[in-house]
Amino acid sequence: MRKEVARIRNIGIIAHIDGGKTTTTERFLYHTGRTHKIGNVDEGTATMDWMDQERERGITITSAATTCYWKNHKINIIDTPGHVDFTAEVERSLRVLDGAIGIFCATSGVQPQSETVWRQSERYGIPRLIYINKMDRVGADFFKVVKQIEQRLAAQPLILQLPIIKNESFVGIIDLIKEQALHYVGDNETDAKLAHIPPEYEQLASEYQVRLLEQLSEVDERILAKYLENQPITSHDIKAAVRQGTINCRFFPVFCGSSLKNKGPLLLLDAIVDYLPSPLDRKEIRGQHPRTGMPVSRMPLPDDPPSVFVFKVLHQPHMGKIYYGRIYSGKITKGDRLYNWSSGKNERIIRIFLIHAAKYEEVQEARAGDIVGLLGLKATRTADTLACEKNPVVFEKAVFPEPVLSVAIECSLKTDQEKLFQHLQHLVEEDPTIRLQVDPETGQVILSGMGELHLEVVIERLRRESGIVVNTGQPRVAYRYTIAKETKVETKFIKQTGGRGQYAHVLLKLEPLVRGTGFIFEDQVREGRIPAKFIPAVEKGIIEAMRTGHEGYEIVDIKAILLDGSYHEVDSSDIAFKIAGALALKEAFRKAEPVLLEPLMETEITVPTPYLGEVLADFTAREGKVEGMDSLGRFSTIKGLVPLRTIFGYTTVLRSITQGRAIHSFQPAHYQPVPQNLQTKGKD
């Protein structure tokens, strides 16, 4: 059983948008025999981009899972989106993976979202391979990208391959471990020819072989001893050291290729098997006992008690809800009952599936290390833990970013209202970065998400899947409010209705906090003035009032100090003190000089140098602040910060200015006060 688990690889493909994630995955599927024809993203035939919108837009929107087999190993692959608007898909995928391949463009290098996903994988301590893709492009620079990885990601690359370039064309790869060269002679990677390293590359290869052994000597004593004593070091020795150093995240092996041109992915498949960890290499998974809070661990073995982490929910037509789960320990069988320790409900597994994009292959059982689809669960949500009742455990949940943009949506026919809400609830269940609320003043349904593209995709899905004619209002920025000065208020809530009344009295002080702190509550009431049992109700009332906010915008970054108050022996209650806390917060907020905050977006724009001046002028006109510029051959990169409210429709404008040749990305940075002239003029 240990041998079976040792032959499993759970990996993710992560990169900036258009880095070549899906193209690389399609080559994996072809070479492993999972598909019989190579899918193409540009032609809309990619297996992993199964949604209609993905094929139409040529981008990955939702993470797609598949399973293939290579050299007697089972490889579970999750292909993740590269656009920042869908970063939650990356987050929840990385939560259940054992390894990853970070793909970098040979011309663009380390881009904003490639840096973001790299940091996400660091949080989970995931071993990674580095694949420098698109070596066939004009201006490709392998060594410059490696240097950027060192500088921008503070990572230690371990170069195992060197590209062979002739007449500005990518024609082969030097394998530094085998000391051989692979020459590509046709369109199919399997036609490549092994040969000696070209004479003009011998010195360079020798230098990098020495560097490779020096890096390995730092992490492997056997390599160090043989290196110092001038003893022969076999390829087996080197591969064993590379594997151990990779699993321990001491370094990140670097490979190169051009997936579109079928040069490199075959060698990358070997690297997945050779260097990325199995579930056994990742050792035990730790969680908590749901009742005691004490640490609990599970080993990735079929004979351990079963535990499953649900990382995704997907509504499939004609099937219902499919729950994507990683089995961390034990085994599950069709018909098994497990307990959801996150929701406190019993669940029954009716069917189990192996997943291949949008296709599902039913199996009778699944074991530790597997990533599967489950059917039949009723009270389970994203990030819930399933286990047996006798061996409880709850695993750590993934953390998702808060939405920054909202739109009002409505259906043309009132009779469609209930159907609209039903489909919206499905979308909210699937995507943890979508928020749904009803404006208490206008009655409008407000849908919030991570950006313009995110909301556009969600609304288009809503229209297609429900068949409802949906209208939307202008995008609405997720502003926040905070305060500029300290203030104190005294609030009494007294209500008499004939019988038992309501009484609560609080003295509250508000203080501004550093941006991004959130909320702090402090109890300074002298003993006996307010019974301890009512203090949490005051805090709860304040928190709810902050969420309701001011003018529809949440209140953040404040400290609330409960200084004093009083109570009534008969009439005081939790609800009375909760209401008093909320009223005190609202009154104090009005007196504390409210400050409107807006989200700033971290920006990177890559533009052909002739258009640089015009793009810069437009960027600064949008109140953008340039924080750095870089030159990448015939292209220039602008890095900066810009208010979200000024960049609606920016994609269209940028295309117009540069004749469609520029690319850009935005991701949330932080909040800052709105300019003074807009504090009172209105926000949108």
Side-chain angles (χ1 to χ4, degrees):
M1 287 186 179
R2 292 183 71 92
K3 287 183 178 180
E4 287 181 15
V5 179
R7 289 196 292 266
I8 294 175
R9 300 289 183 270
N10 290 316
I11 69 160
I13 314 292
I14 57 175
H16 188 87
I17 189 170
D18 199 32
K21 298 177 299 302
T22 302
T23 300
T24 303
T25 306
E26 293 295 325
R27 271 59 185 171
F28 289 165
L29 297 179
Y30 176 74
H31 287 308
T32 59
R34 195 71 174 82
T35 58
H36 302 292
K37 182 181 178 182
I38 297 176
N40 189 297
V41 173
D42 294 334
E43 294 174 4
T45 58
T47 303
M48 301 301 281
D49 285 347
W50 56 270
M51 290 176 61
D52 289 341
Q53 285 200 70
E54 290 178 315
R55 291 177 171 175
E56 291 166 8
R57 296 171 185 268
I59 62 171
T60 301
I61 292 170
T62 182
S63 54
T66 189
T67 300
C68 57
Y69 296 86
W70 185 248
K71 294 187 175 179
N72 204 28
H73 284 69
K74 181 180 184 179
I75 305 175
N76 297 315
I77 303 174
I78 298 182
D79 175 27
T80 65
H83 197 286
V84 66
D85 281 16
F86 309 106
T87 192
E89 290 288 325
V90 183
E91 187 74 33
R92 60 178 166 191
S93 299
L94 289 172
R95 172 65 182 77
V96 297
L97 294 172
D98 298 321
I101 299 173
I103 300 183
F104 299 86
C105 175
T107 56
S108 303
V110 179
Q111 296 169 280
Q113 186 63 4
S114 51
E115 186 169 352
T116 299
V117 296
W118 188 268
R119 301 297 180 215
Q120 286 175 297
S121 60
E122 276 185 337
R123 282 206 302 274
Y124 296 109
I126 294 176
R128 281 144 280 167
L129 306 180
I130 292 169
Y131 177 55
I132 299 177
N133 190 24
K134 304 189 179 183
M135 286 301 306
D136 60 303
R137 286 194 171 184
V138 176
D141 193 330
F142 176 84
F143 298 103
K144 185 172 183 177
V145 176
V146 171
K147 189 175 181 180
Q148 285 185 355
I149 290 168
E150 289 178 314
Q151 294 174 342
R152 297 188 187 180
L153 304 181
Q156 185 178 357
L158 183 77
I159 295 176
L160 300 185
Q161 293 180 347
L162 295 174
I164 300 174
I165 308 293
K166 285 189 178 180
N167 300 323
E168 296 189 355
S169 296
F170 174 57
V171 296
I173 291 173
I174 295 171
D175 186 325
L176 295 176
I177 296 179
K178 293 181 179 178
E179 300 183 25
Q180 291 177 317
L182 194 69
H183 294 274
Y184 295 110
V185 294
D187 294 334
N188 198 319
E189 197 167 358
T190 54
D191 297 332
K193 303 293 184 184
L194 272 176
H196 294 296
I197 296 172
E200 65 270 27
Y201 277 91
E202 285 179 353
Q203 184 177 345
L204 182 68
S206 178
E207 289 174 6
Y208 275 92
Q209 282 165 342
V210 171
R211 185 180 298 187
L212 170 61
L213 293 177
E214 288 175 347
Q215 284 183 270
L216 293 179
S217 297
E218 294 175 5
V219 300
D220 190 292
E221 292 182 0
R222 293 170 300 175
I223 297 284
L224 176 61
K226 289 186 175 183
Y227 185 64
L228 292 176
E229 294 170 13
N230 239 3
Q231 293 182 7
I233 301 173
T234 66
S235 60
H236 177 77
D237 294 333
I238 294 174
K239 289 174 76 170
V242 172
R243 176 174 177 77
Q244 200 54 50
T246 303
I247 289 171
N248 294 332
C249 292
R250 297 292 298 273
F251 43 64
F252 306 96
V254 179
F255 303 85
C256 61
S258 169
S259 294
L260 185 64
K261 302 295 184 181
N262 303 313
K263 299 174 181 178
L266 201 56
L267 299 179
L268 202 53
L269 268 173
D270 289 339
I272 292 169
V273 169
D274 291 340
Y275 306 126
L276 287 180
S278 72
L280 284 176
D281 294 314
R282 295 282 282 166
K283 299 179 181 175
E284 62 186 16
I285 176 73
R286 295 177 181 174
Q288 283 188 336
H289 193 291
R291 295 195 183 105
T292 67
M294 296 296 290
V296 177
S297 62
R298 291 281 187 272
M299 284 299 294
L301 294 170
D303 51 4
D304 243 38
S307 62
V308 183
F309 182 82
V310 175
F311 66 95
K312 180 171 179 171
V313 180
L314 190 65
H315 288 77
Q316 285 286 38
H318 316 301
M319 291 183 72
K321 292 182 192 176
I322 303 289
Y323 297 82
Y324 286 44
R326 161 74 187 264
I327 304 174
Y328 276 111
S329 62
K331 65 179 181 180
I332 58 172
T333 307
K334 180 179 175 180
D336 278 357
R337 290 189 178 275
L338 292 176
Y339 194 77
N340 185 327
W341 287 101
S342 303
S343 67
K345 303 285 186 181
N346 271 303
E347 295 280 33
R348 183 168 178 262
I349 299 170
I350 296 176
R351 299 169 78 185
I352 304 171
F353 300 100
L354 293 181
I355 307 163
H356 180 51
K359 297 179 180 178
Y360 301 92
E361 176 188 337
E362 188 167 359
V363 294
Q364 294 301 306
E365 71 170 29
R367 300 185 171 200
D370 286 340
I371 292 176
V372 294
L374 304 175
L375 193 68
L377 309 181
K378 301 295 183 184
T380 297
R381 299 288 181 267
T382 297
D384 282 0
T385 303
L386 304 175
C388 57
E389 286 195 76
K390 293 180 180 179
N391 295 278
V393 64
V394 173
F395 296 129
E396 180 186 0
K397 292 179 179 284
V399 178
F400 300 108
E402 290 294 315
V404 296
L405 200 63
S406 303
V407 291
I409 61 172
E410 60 181 21
C411 43
S412 299
L413 302 174
K414 287 187 177 181
T415 52
D416 288 335
Q417 194 77 24
E418 188 176 335
K419 188 178 177 183
L420 173 68
F421 266 98
Q422 182 182 349
H423 280 271
L424 282 171
Q425 283 301 131
H426 287 174
L427 294 173
V428 171
E429 285 177 2
E430 288 185 16
D431 188 341
T433 57
I434 295 176
R435 297 286 188 277
L436 188 62
Q437 65 186 67
V438 178
D439 190 310
E441 294 181 9
T442 64
Q444 282 183 311
V445 177
I446 306 297
L447 188 68
S448 303
M450 296 304 300
E452 278 191 281
L453 179 60
H454 187 207
L455 290 174
E456 187 181 317
V457 166
V458 169
I459 291 164
E460 184 60 30
R461 274 195 66 189
L462 188 65
R463 288 173 176 147
R464 293 186 185 195
E465 294 173 14
S466 69
I468 300 171
V469 178
V470 178
N471 301 317
T472 62
Q474 285 294 314
R476 186 171 180 261
V477 178
Y479 289 96
R480 301 281 187 266
Y481 267 106
T482 190
I483 59 174
K485 71 173 188 178
E486 294 183 8
T487 188
K488 288 181 187 177
V489 296
E490 187 172 9
T491 301
K492 288 184 178 180
F493 175 67
I494 303 172
K495 190 173 183 181
Q496 211 64 45
T497 56
R500 179 176 173 178
Q502 297 284 359
Y503 178 90
H505 168 214
V506 298
L507 178 61
L508 190 71
K509 179 182 180 181
L510 289 191
E511 295 178 356
L513 291 176
V514 175
R515 202 76 63 240
T517 306
F519 172 65
I520 296 174
F521 178 79
E522 189 175 313
D523 172 21
Q524 293 185 3
V525 177
R526 286 178 295 162
E527 188 175 350
R529 297 288 294 172
I530 300 177
K533 65 180 180 179
F534 293 139
I535 302 299
V538 178
E539 181 181 4
K540 190 174 181 181
I542 293 170
I543 291 172
E544 288 189 5
M546 288 174 63
R547 286 176 180 161
T548 303
H550 180 64
E551 297 179 349
Y553 300 117
E554 189 177 342
I555 299 168
V556 296
D557 300 337
I558 63 171
K559 181 177 182 179
I561 304 170
L562 185 59
L563 299 172
D564 200 3
S566 63
Y567 73 104
H568 189 278
E569 290 281 357
V570 177
D571 292 348
S572 289
S573 64
D574 280 345
I575 188 66
F577 273 97
K578 180 180 173 183
I579 293 171
L583 293 173
L585 182 282
K586 291 177 182 178
E587 185 181 350
F589 173 78
R590 286 193 294 268
K591 295 180 178 179
E593 295 183 5
V595 177
L596 184 66
L597 304 174
E598 67 176 342
L600 284 191
M601 306 300 284
E602 190 176 301
T603 310
E604 182 164 307
I605 308 166
T606 301
V607 55
T609 302
Y611 300 101
L612 180 61
E614 198 172 347
V615 171
L616 269 174
D618 179 76
F619 183 70
T620 53
R622 296 171 184 273
E623 301 176 36
K625 179 183 177 184
V626 177
E627 296 202 319
M629 293 181 63
D630 195 9
S631 177
L632 296 166
R634 295 175 297 168
F635 288 81
S636 296
T637 300
I638 304 165
K639 296 180 180 178
L641 295 169
V642 63
L644 176 60
R645 62 183 158 81
T646 69
I647 58 173
F648 296 135
Y650 183 69
T651 301
T652 303
V653 173
L654 186 64
R655 284 174 182 162
S656 175
I657 293 174
T658 65
Q659 298 181 3
R661 295 175 62 197
I663 59 172
H664 72 286
S665 67
F666 295 117
Q667 56 186 349
H670 56 265
Y671 276 79
Q672 75 166 19
V674 169
Q676 192 60 42
N677 64 318
L678 294 178
Q679 289 280 346
T680 55
K681 279 177 63 177
K683 278 69 67 177
D684 291 311

